[in-house]
Amino acid sequence: MSIPLTPMQQADQFGAHNYHPLPVVIRSASGAWVTDDGGKRYLDMLSSYSALNQGHRHPRILQAARDQLERVTLTSRAFHNDQLGPFLQRLSEVSGFRRALPMNSGAEAVETGLKACRKWGYTVKGVPEGRARILVASNNFHGRTISIVSFSTEAQYRDGFGPFTPGFDVVPYGDSAAMEAAITPDTVAILAEPIQGEAGVVLPPEGYLRALRAMCDRHRVLLFLDEIQTGLGRTGKMWAFEHEGIRPDCITVAKALGGGVYPISAFCADDELMDVFAPGDHGSTFGGNPLAAAIGRAALDVIVEENLPARAAELGGYFMERLHELGSPHVREVRGRGLLIGVELHERSGPARPYCEALKELGVLCKDTHGQVIRFAPPLVVAREDLDFALEQVAKVLT
Ligand SMILES: *Cc1c(COP(=O)(O)O)cnc(C)c1O
């Protein structure tokens, strides 16, 4: 008799090799903690790239899901359902944008926004047909569709996947003068992340978003901010753009909008922009389904009612301060905002992955990003004592 394959071997043999996961097999989870198939517990310091801001299996979100499972889960948008309206109104209250268009993944929400901005360019701004251009930032991460990787500056995201979608111009992130210089009469939007998470938790210079807002107003260009990773409390405010006291014209939201339970995303904008969509222009079979809507509304309620943005601000400040105090010889820089924190290692200390592997052995799960950076982004419901536990392990590995 042959020996049965382990789940890790099955994933390796029957799956695509488009990820390089740490060798841990998670079987259960609760709050900020996960348990592997051998019963060992780990503190989740990645939270699925900020999709678990409310923690694993938040009781209120699970209850909303259970209740909805008992009624109706999928209607398609060919019919109304009684959950979508309440979800959209709640999202509008939380986002400050009048309208939202629900999709499933983050990349789809970004695609939705790109389509909206282009159509606004033609129908409202008056850009000649086929000429609309969108400015993006270097080292951006907005997802993995062909159009989105068309304007990635990460060679690996593009290699072998062309031909690419035209109409995008890349400008160095954080350089507002270069951005303004790149605007032409055909520019319809500037798309940027308020903080670049995947690039290694890169914060733009103070005033960058304000400068983008001002130039968009001067040139009648839409400011489109991707809040998929930074939004919903992660950086210490509900939205990262609030740190600069500005308001973009539109945002994308995903990840924690699904409360760690279900993929839910949305493109949010006010009437003038959202009204470019007419019936049949755009859609998604699962987008806005009643199960998603019920879960999304509960996910938003938890963030608001548990004051998770304020928690992220307080605990993030604490964690970053303690990381600074470690005085590790391997650490080049500790940076971040709220509970989105990057620890950049010196070149001479080697890549970040072995440190993440060592932390895994010590019961802390985190992931390297861009070679030299360890990203710490625990669920926002994490306890201060949990962070102290993480710091003890980080100290062992980094000093
Ligand atoms: C994760 C992410 C996306 C893509 O979301 P998916 O759900 O993986 O498609 C887009 N933009 C940003 C900033 C992200 O962090």
Short mmCIF file of all heavy atoms in Angstrom, two decimals, residues 49 104-108 110 141-144 193 198 226 228-229 254-255, ligand 1:
data_model
loop_
_atom_site.label_atom_id
_atom_site.label_comp_id
_atom_site.label_asym_id
_atom_site.label_seq_id
_atom_site.Cartn_x
_atom_site.Cartn_y
_atom_site.Cartn_z
N TYR A 49 -2.45 39.26 4.23
CA TYR A 49 -2.18 40.54 3.56
C TYR A 49 -3.24 41.60 3.88
O TYR A 49 -3.68 42.33 3.00
CB TYR A 49 -2.07 40.35 2.04
CG TYR A 49 -1.14 39.25 1.60
CD1 TYR A 49 -1.63 37.98 1.31
CD2 TYR A 49 0.23 39.47 1.51
CE1 TYR A 49 -0.77 36.95 0.91
CE2 TYR A 49 1.09 38.46 1.12
CZ TYR A 49 0.58 37.20 0.83
OH TYR A 49 1.43 36.19 0.44
N ASN A 104 -15.69 40.94 -6.64
CA ASN A 104 -15.25 39.84 -5.77
C ASN A 104 -13.82 40.03 -5.29
O ASN A 104 -13.55 40.09 -4.11
CB ASN A 104 -15.40 38.52 -6.51
CG ASN A 104 -16.77 38.40 -7.15
OD1 ASN A 104 -17.76 38.16 -6.47
ND2 ASN A 104 -16.84 38.63 -8.45
N SER A 105 -12.89 40.12 -6.23
CA SER A 105 -11.49 40.26 -5.84
C SER A 105 -11.04 41.72 -5.94
O SER A 105 -11.72 42.55 -6.57
CB SER A 105 -10.62 39.42 -6.77
OG SER A 105 -10.66 39.96 -8.08
N GLY A 106 -9.89 41.97 -5.35
CA GLY A 106 -9.32 43.32 -5.43
C GLY A 106 -9.02 43.72 -6.86
O GLY A 106 -9.33 44.83 -7.29
N ALA A 107 -8.40 42.80 -7.61
CA ALA A 107 -8.04 43.11 -9.00
C ALA A 107 -9.27 43.50 -9.80
O ALA A 107 -9.23 44.43 -10.62
CB ALA A 107 -7.34 41.91 -9.63
N GLU A 108 -10.39 42.82 -9.56
CA GLU A 108 -11.61 43.16 -10.30
C GLU A 108 -12.11 44.56 -9.94
O GLU A 108 -12.66 45.27 -10.79
CB GLU A 108 -12.73 42.18 -9.97
CG GLU A 108 -12.59 40.82 -10.58
CD GLU A 108 -13.68 39.91 -10.07
OE1 GLU A 108 -13.77 39.74 -8.83
OE2 GLU A 108 -14.46 39.40 -10.87
N VAL A 110 -10.19 47.04 -9.05
CA VAL A 110 -9.28 47.96 -9.73
C VAL A 110 -9.65 48.06 -11.21
O VAL A 110 -9.74 49.16 -11.78
CB VAL A 110 -7.81 47.52 -9.56
CG1 VAL A 110 -6.89 48.35 -10.44
CG2 VAL A 110 -7.39 47.62 -8.09
N PHE A 141 1.40 47.96 -6.76
CA PHE A 141 0.75 46.65 -6.80
C PHE A 141 -0.75 46.85 -6.77
O PHE A 141 -1.30 47.37 -5.80
CB PHE A 141 1.16 45.72 -5.64
CG PHE A 141 0.51 44.37 -5.78
CD1 PHE A 141 1.04 43.42 -6.64
CD2 PHE A 141 -0.68 44.06 -5.12
CE1 PHE A 141 0.41 42.18 -6.83
CE2 PHE A 141 -1.31 42.83 -5.30
CZ PHE A 141 -0.76 41.90 -6.16
N HIS A 142 -1.42 46.45 -7.85
CA HIS A 142 -2.88 46.60 -7.92
C HIS A 142 -3.56 45.31 -8.30
O HIS A 142 -4.75 45.31 -8.58
CB HIS A 142 -3.24 47.71 -8.90
CG HIS A 142 -2.70 49.06 -8.53
ND1 HIS A 142 -3.17 49.79 -7.46
CD2 HIS A 142 -1.69 49.81 -9.07
CE1 HIS A 142 -2.50 50.93 -7.37
NE2 HIS A 142 -1.59 50.98 -8.33
N GLY A 143 -2.82 44.20 -8.36
CA GLY A 143 -3.44 42.92 -8.72
C GLY A 143 -2.70 42.27 -9.87
O GLY A 143 -1.61 42.68 -10.24
N ARG A 144 -3.33 41.23 -10.44
CA ARG A 144 -2.60 40.35 -11.36
C ARG A 144 -3.26 40.14 -12.71
O ARG A 144 -2.88 39.21 -13.43
CB ARG A 144 -2.44 38.98 -10.70
CG ARG A 144 -1.80 39.01 -9.34
CD ARG A 144 -0.35 39.36 -9.40
NE ARG A 144 0.34 38.84 -8.23
CZ ARG A 144 1.60 38.41 -8.24
NH1 ARG A 144 2.31 38.45 -9.34
NH2 ARG A 144 2.14 37.96 -7.13
N GLU A 193 -1.36 53.88 -4.62
CA GLU A 193 -1.60 53.36 -3.28
C GLU A 193 -1.17 54.44 -2.27
O GLU A 193 -0.08 55.00 -2.43
CB GLU A 193 -0.75 52.11 -3.03
CG GLU A 193 -1.08 50.93 -3.91
CD GLU A 193 0.14 50.02 -4.09
OE1 GLU A 193 0.33 49.11 -3.28
OE2 GLU A 193 0.90 50.23 -5.06
N GLU A 198 2.82 45.97 -0.95
CA GLU A 198 3.59 44.88 -1.56
C GLU A 198 5.01 45.31 -1.89
O GLU A 198 5.92 44.49 -1.91
CB GLU A 198 2.89 44.37 -2.83
CG GLU A 198 1.53 43.77 -2.57
CD GLU A 198 1.56 42.71 -1.49
OE1 GLU A 198 2.29 41.71 -1.63
OE2 GLU A 198 0.86 42.91 -0.49
N ASP A 226 -6.02 53.31 -4.37
CA ASP A 226 -6.24 51.89 -4.10
C ASP A 226 -6.06 51.66 -2.59
O ASP A 226 -4.94 51.65 -2.09
CB ASP A 226 -5.25 51.05 -4.92
CG ASP A 226 -5.46 49.55 -4.73
OD1 ASP A 226 -6.15 49.15 -3.77
OD2 ASP A 226 -4.90 48.77 -5.54
N ILE A 228 -7.12 48.96 -1.01
CA ILE A 228 -7.40 47.55 -0.79
C ILE A 228 -6.61 47.00 0.41
O ILE A 228 -7.14 46.23 1.22
CB ILE A 228 -7.13 46.74 -2.07
CG1 ILE A 228 -8.22 47.07 -3.11
CG2 ILE A 228 -7.06 45.24 -1.79
CD1 ILE A 228 -7.97 46.49 -4.49
N GLN A 229 -5.36 47.41 0.54
CA GLN A 229 -4.54 46.93 1.66
C GLN A 229 -4.51 47.93 2.82
O GLN A 229 -4.44 47.55 3.98
CB GLN A 229 -3.11 46.65 1.18
CG GLN A 229 -2.26 45.98 2.23
CD GLN A 229 -1.03 45.26 1.67
OE1 GLN A 229 -0.09 45.02 2.38
NE2 GLN A 229 -1.03 44.91 0.41
N ALA A 254 -11.21 46.07 -0.77
CA ALA A 254 -11.37 44.61 -0.89
C ALA A 254 -10.83 44.00 0.40
O ALA A 254 -11.09 44.52 1.48
CB ALA A 254 -10.65 44.08 -2.12
N LYS A 255 -10.09 42.93 0.30
CA LYS A 255 -9.46 42.28 1.44
C LYS A 255 -10.37 42.26 2.68
O LYS A 255 -11.28 41.46 2.73
CB LYS A 255 -8.09 42.92 1.71
CG LYS A 255 -7.14 42.65 0.52
CD LYS A 255 -5.68 42.62 0.87
CE LYS A 255 -4.89 41.93 -0.21
NZ LYS A 255 -4.13 42.79 -1.09
C1 LIG B 1 -4.12 42.66 -2.61
C2 LIG B 1 -4.15 43.92 -3.39
C3 LIG B 1 -4.79 43.99 -4.63
C4 LIG B 1 -5.37 42.78 -5.33
O1 LIG B 1 -6.37 42.15 -4.61
P1 LIG B 1 -6.78 40.63 -5.02
O2 LIG B 1 -7.99 40.35 -4.18
O3 LIG B 1 -5.61 39.76 -4.67
O4 LIG B 1 -7.06 40.63 -6.47
C5 LIG B 1 -4.86 45.22 -5.25
N1 LIG B 1 -4.31 46.32 -4.70
C6 LIG B 1 -3.67 46.28 -3.52
C7 LIG B 1 -3.10 47.54 -2.95
C8 LIG B 1 -3.55 45.08 -2.83
O5 LIG B 1 -2.89 45.03 -1.66
#
